[in-house]
């Protein structure tokens, strides 16, 4: 699964034109080999064909006739029994229906005859149902992308005809890929009981991502592989690459598009445009391409958002004049929102570079006449992009910035971005900063870091993802974030000193161990404290931790009676 060039209808359409660009496009498609994961990790579902149908009595009774070959059918009416039509089937009249689970493991609870029951145990003697057909207009499960085995026909999609074709075959054992990798060490969601970034949770339309834990035990992101539908929005929204699309890896899709452009130009094609589209809508893809010139090259993905902003800009600096997304307004709202937000960031960056923002553009099937095509490619990079997701993006942006400057386009060094952009800087009210390094302890990318040899807080702007962990963790509340783009590559990548103080050096070993101002503050606050009423206790404030412990035990050894006071 992953990036690929169409199926039968699309392939047939692309072979019809005989223009130079069309031939180059066909050549590129045939010559560019995909590099997908050969044996992806999977999860398994087991279904025995126990179906529950929920909805108005007359509808569910009629629909049940279409699934007679299944193991069992349980009918749950959401109407009162006074509205029943005459039938020889058992119909359970239920209120307050709740459904949790997935294919082969649906827990359905409801109130029947005034008692809340587990419906599968009550009706078929099983712990769960395998399949759910929901005919209610307002479906019980609200996820925008339904979990496997759940069919909310009542809300209009999928259609009953599609369900009649698909549902009867869902008996047996089925494997589904694990679409994502999660690296908790890179995650900016939480650290040391402090919560920060929640972009992935907000971006999931399937309810597969949740924040688990508490302030006491710590929070962490959890992905339920049985609920995950591989939509890709979480990986696109993740600023640290803690979540990455694994089928295929985003960088492989990125390299695939680059090779596609290279093969297209090798065969004499000009001004290529990359059009990302979903394999779920082959008819729509063909319909859209019929309205476009022959230099538009489709790249078909399992999911439109399985590639992110780094891939889009990679295409632009590797010869594409434009990057399009063939989308539909029928897509779940969350997918449309994430796509719109990411494109908004991309277009803001293009505008700041003095380039037409429509070089990255969403083309909706419902509004093809609003499409803007651009036929002037940009400067191509000499070397391939390397590094992680952010490094590849910044490499592409720095190349475009240099090209804009070479073309006498003036670029303002610091420019604001949409508030949801994960790029920016951190400011510090240094007069109140104690250099406790609580911010350093929670920073997931080491954008904020300390100096082992002095009390110094350092910052690298390019690495900051604006997660907010440092702001929340700061006990003095002296840190603030600012979303922006710094087009000065040197200052964006260099280590900046946010705050620095003279070090207090240990009076015993001479090693620096804390900010001098912090030691003086502690002395001031502890003055008069009964535990610090002798010269030895005050002296230890000016020692490093190792020397302080050594001095205490030396004193106890010399004066054994003091052990009674410990």
């Amino acid at each position: 699964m992953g990036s690929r060039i169409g199926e039968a209808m699309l392939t047939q359409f692309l072979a019809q034109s005989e223009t130079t660009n069309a031939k180059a496009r066909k050549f590129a498609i045939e010559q560019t080999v995909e590099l997908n994961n050969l044996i992806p990790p999977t999860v398994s579902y087991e279904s025995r064909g126990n179906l529950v149908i929920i909805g108005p009595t007359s509808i569910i009774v009629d629909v049940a006739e279409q699934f007679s070959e299944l193991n069992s059918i349980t009918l749950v009416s959401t109407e009162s029994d006074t509205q029943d039509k005459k039938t020889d089937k058992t119909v359970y009249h239920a209120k307050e229906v709740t459904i949790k689970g997935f294919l082969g493991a649906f827990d359905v609870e409801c109130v029947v005859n005034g008692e809340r029951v587990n419906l599968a145990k009550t009706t078929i003697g099983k712990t769960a149902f395998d399949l759910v057909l929901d005919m209610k207009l307002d479906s019980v499960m609200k996820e925008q992308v339904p979990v496997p085995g759940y069919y909310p026909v009542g809300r209009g999609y999928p259609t009953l005809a599609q369900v009649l074709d698909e549902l009867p075959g869902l008996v047996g054992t089925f494997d589904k890929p694990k679409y994502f990798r999660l690296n908790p060490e890179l995650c900016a969601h939480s650290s040391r009981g402090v919560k920060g970034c929640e972009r992935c949770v907000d971006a999931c339309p399937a309810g597969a991502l949740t924040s688990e834990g508490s302030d006491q035990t710590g929070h962490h992101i959890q992905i339920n592989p049985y609920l995950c539908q591989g939509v890709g929005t979480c990986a696109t929204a993740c600023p640290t690459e803690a979540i990455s699309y694994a089928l295929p890896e985003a960088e492989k899709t990125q390299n695939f598009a680059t090779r596609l452009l290279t093969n297209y130009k090798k065969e004499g094609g000009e001004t290529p445009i990359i059009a990302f589209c979903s394999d779920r809508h082959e008819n729509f893809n063909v319909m859209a391409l019929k309205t476009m010139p022959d230099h538009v090259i489709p790249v078909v993905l399992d999911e439109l958002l399985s590639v992110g902003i780094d891939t889009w800009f990679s295409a632009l600096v590797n010869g594409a004049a434009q990057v399009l997304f063939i989308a539909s307004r029928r897509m779940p709202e969350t997918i449309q929102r994430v796509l719109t937000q990411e494109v908004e960031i991309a277009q803001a960056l293009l505008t700041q570079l003095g380039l037409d923002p429509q070089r990255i553009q969403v083309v909706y099937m419902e509004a093809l006449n609003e499409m803007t095509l651009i036929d002037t490619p940009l400067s191509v990079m000499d070397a391939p992009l390397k590094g992680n997701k952010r490094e590849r993006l910044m490499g592409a942006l720095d190349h475009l910035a240099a090209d804009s400057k070479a073309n006498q386009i003036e670029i303002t060094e610091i420019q604001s971005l949409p508030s949801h952009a994960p790029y920016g800087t951190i400011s510090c009210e240094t007069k109140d900063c104690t250099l406790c390094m609580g911010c350093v302890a929670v920073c997931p990318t080491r954008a904020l870091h300390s100096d082992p040899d002095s009390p110094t807080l350092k910052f690298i702007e390019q690495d900051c993802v604006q997660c907010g962990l440092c702001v929340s963790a700061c006990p003095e509340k002296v840190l603030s974030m600012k979303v922006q783009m710094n087009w000065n590559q040197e200052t964006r990548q260099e280590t900046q000193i946010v705050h620095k103080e003279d070090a207090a050096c240990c009076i015993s070993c001479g090693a620096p161990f804390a900010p001098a101002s912090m030691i003086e503050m502690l002395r001031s606050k502890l003055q008069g404290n009964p535990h610090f009423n002798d010269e030895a206790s005050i002296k230890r404030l000016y020692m490093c931790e190792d020397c302080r412990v050594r001095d205490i035990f030396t004193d106890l050894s010399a004066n054994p009676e003091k052990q009674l006071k410990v």
Side-chain angles (χ1 to χ4, degrees):
M1 301 175 74
S3 58
R4 56 179 175 273
I5 301 294
E7 301 297 341
M9 287 181 59
L10 186 55
T11 303
Q12 183 180 5
F13 166 75
L14 294 175
Q16 291 175 357
S17 180
E18 290 295 321
T19 67
T20 299
N21 284 337
K23 291 179 179 179
R25 178 173 63 183
K26 184 173 180 292
F27 173 83
I29 288 169
E30 293 173 347
Q31 297 300 314
T32 306
V33 178
E34 299 176 71
L35 297 175
N36 288 350
N37 301 357
L38 297 180
I39 308 177
T42 60
V43 295
S44 296
Y45 302 91
E46 186 173 353
S47 169
R48 294 175 175 81
N50 295 309
L51 170 68
V52 58
I53 306 177
I54 301 169
T57 306
S58 60
I59 295 176
I60 63 176
V61 168
D62 290 341
V63 169
E65 300 291 344
Q66 309 296 321
F67 301 103
S68 57
E69 69 273 29
L70 292 177
N71 186 46
S72 72
I73 301 174
T74 300
L75 302 181
V76 178
S77 174
T78 53
E79 299 175 327
S80 65
D81 55 7
T82 59
Q83 297 170 288
D84 269 356
K85 65 177 286 184
K86 291 183 178 180
T87 177
D88 57 352
K89 299 182 181 299
T90 301
V91 178
Y92 295 88
H93 295 271
K95 300 178 181 178
E96 301 176 22
V97 181
T98 62
I99 303 175
K100 296 179 182 179
F102 43 82
L103 177 64
F106 283 107
D107 182 4
V108 180
E109 290 190 357
C110 56
V111 175
V112 179
N113 296 326
E115 181 182 357
R116 188 155 193 87
V117 298
N118 179 310
L119 197 63
K121 290 182 180 178
T122 301
T123 60
I124 60 173
K126 304 291 184 181
T127 57
F129 290 105
D130 300 303
L131 302 157
V132 179
L133 176 55
D134 190 343
M135 306 300 295
K136 291 184 64 187
L137 292 177
D138 55 336
S139 57
V140 178
M141 298 184 79
K142 304 300 182 183
E143 287 77 14
Q144 296 171 25
V145 176
V147 300
Y150 178 76
Y151 295 91
V153 172
R155 71 189 190 193
Y157 187 80
T159 66
L160 182 58
Q162 291 172 315
V163 174
L164 292 173
D165 180 59
E166 180 179 328
L167 189 148
L170 290 179
V171 178
T173 301
F174 305 90
D175 291 332
K176 178 181 73 67
K178 287 185 177 179
Y179 295 100
F180 299 100
R181 295 192 183 99
L182 174 62
N183 184 347
E185 293 184 1
L186 297 177
C187 185
H189 173 60
S190 175
S191 180
R192 298 174 182 252
V194 178
K195 291 186 74 172
C197 175
E198 293 192 329
R199 296 173 191 268
C200 61
V201 177
D202 294 338
C204 181
L209 277 90
T210 53
S211 173
E212 302 295 331
S214 66
D215 291 344
Q216 290 72 37
T217 62
H219 301 270
H220 63 276
I221 292 296
Q222 183 167 307
I223 303 178
N224 187 325
Y226 292 95
L227 302 182
C228 174
Q229 301 298 294
V231 174
T233 45
C234 59
T236 292
C238 179
T240 65
E241 223 167 4
I243 299 178
S244 57
Y245 205 79
L247 203 66
E249 297 167 354
E251 192 171 1
K252 289 184 177 179
T253 303
Q254 195 170 116
N255 293 335
F256 172 81
T258 299
R259 296 195 309 276
L260 191 67
L261 291 165
T262 299
N263 287 330
Y264 174 82
K265 288 181 284 186
K266 183 189 297 184
E267 194 65 10
E270 297 179 340
T271 63
I273 293 174
I274 291 291
F276 290 114
C277 47
S278 169
D279 75 339
R280 295 172 185 257
H281 307 294
E282 188 180 12
N283 289 342
F284 290 157
N285 297 338
V286 172
M287 187 187 307
L289 288 168
K290 285 181 178 179
T291 69
M292 301 176 184
D294 290 342
H295 57 268
V296 176
I297 308 173
V299 176
V300 182
L301 307 168
D302 280 350
E303 298 292 347
L304 203 57
L305 278 170
S306 62
V307 295
I309 192 171
D310 55 314
T311 297
W312 311 347
F313 276 96
S314 170
L316 291 181
V317 299
N318 281 290
Q322 194 174 18
V323 172
L324 305 177
F325 304 93
I326 301 178
S328 170
R329 298 195 190 280
R330 292 179 59 188
M331 293 190 308
E333 183 276 331
T334 297
I335 298 178
Q336 290 189 59
R337 172 174 55 79
V338 174
L339 178 59
T340 299
Q341 289 177 343
E342 292 296 307
V343 169
E344 183 183 3
I345 296 170
Q347 292 186 339
L349 294 169
L350 288 168
T351 300
Q352 293 174 12
L353 288 165
L355 301 172
D356 191 330
Q358 296 304 312
R359 284 187 181 273
I360 294 179
Q361 178 185 169
V362 181
V363 176
Y364 285 104
M365 293 301 309
E366 296 83 353
L368 291 174
N369 60 317
E370 298 176 7
M371 173 176 50
T372 300
L373 295 180
I374 297 173
D375 290 340
T376 53
L378 301 168
S379 171
V380 177
M381 290 190 71
D382 295 330
L385 294 167
K386 294 183 178 180
N388 60 28
K389 175 180 179 178
R390 178 164 293 233
E391 289 168 341
R392 297 195 302 272
L393 170 64
M394 292 300 173
L397 292 176
D398 287 333
H399 170 80
L400 292 174
D403 193 53
S404 291
K405 292 174 183 176
N407 290 323
Q408 307 303 310
I409 297 175
E410 186 176 343
I411 301 176
T412 303
E413 188 170 290
I414 304 294
Q415 298 193 52
S416 61
L417 287 171
S419 60
H420 53 271
Y423 316 104
T425 189
I426 296 294
S427 298
C428 176
E429 294 289 339
T430 56
K431 64 182 178 62
D432 296 319
C433 176
T434 62
L435 288 173
C436 68
M437 300 303 170
C439 55
V440 171
V442 299
C443 182
T445 65
R446 285 190 52 77
L448 284 168
H449 57 281
S450 59
D451 188 329
D453 299 321
S454 68
T456 306
L457 178 61
K458 297 182 175 182
F459 177 67
I460 300 175
E461 182 171 350
Q462 178 160 305
D463 295 338
C464 179
V465 297
Q466 299 286 288
C467 66
L469 282 172
C470 59
V471 175
S472 299
C474 178
E476 285 80 27
K477 304 303 178 187
V478 297
L479 295 178
S480 59
M481 302 184 298
K482 183 181 180 182
V483 175
Q484 66 178 39
M485 180 61 191
N486 184 348
W487 289 105
N488 186 316
Q489 179 182 1
E490 183 177 346
T491 61
R492 191 184 71 240
Q493 293 179 343
E494 73 180 2
T495 300
Q496 307 166 25
I497 294 178
V498 177
H499 184 34
K500 181 177 182 179
E501 288 190 15
D502 293 333
C505 294
C506 177
I507 59 174
S508 179
C509 69
F513 69 97
S517 64
M518 180 184 291
I519 301 304
E520 291 306 319
M521 178 194 69
L522 287 173
R523 174 169 179 159
S524 175
K525 288 188 175 183
L526 293 172
Q527 197 167 20
N529 188 300
H531 295 288
F532 289 85
N533 58 1
D534 63 342
E535 183 179 346
S537 298
I538 295 297
K539 184 181 69 172
R540 290 182 190 123
L541 289 176
Y542 295 89
M543 294 180 182
C544 68
E545 185 177 354
D546 289 342
C547 291
R548 190 179 306 132
V549 172
R550 191 178 300 116
D551 186 68
I552 290 173
F553 277 95
T554 299
D555 191 26
L556 291 174
S557 177
N559 303 282
E561 72 279 1
K562 288 188 175 182
Q563 297 183 39
L564 300 175
K565 300 179 181 180
V566 175

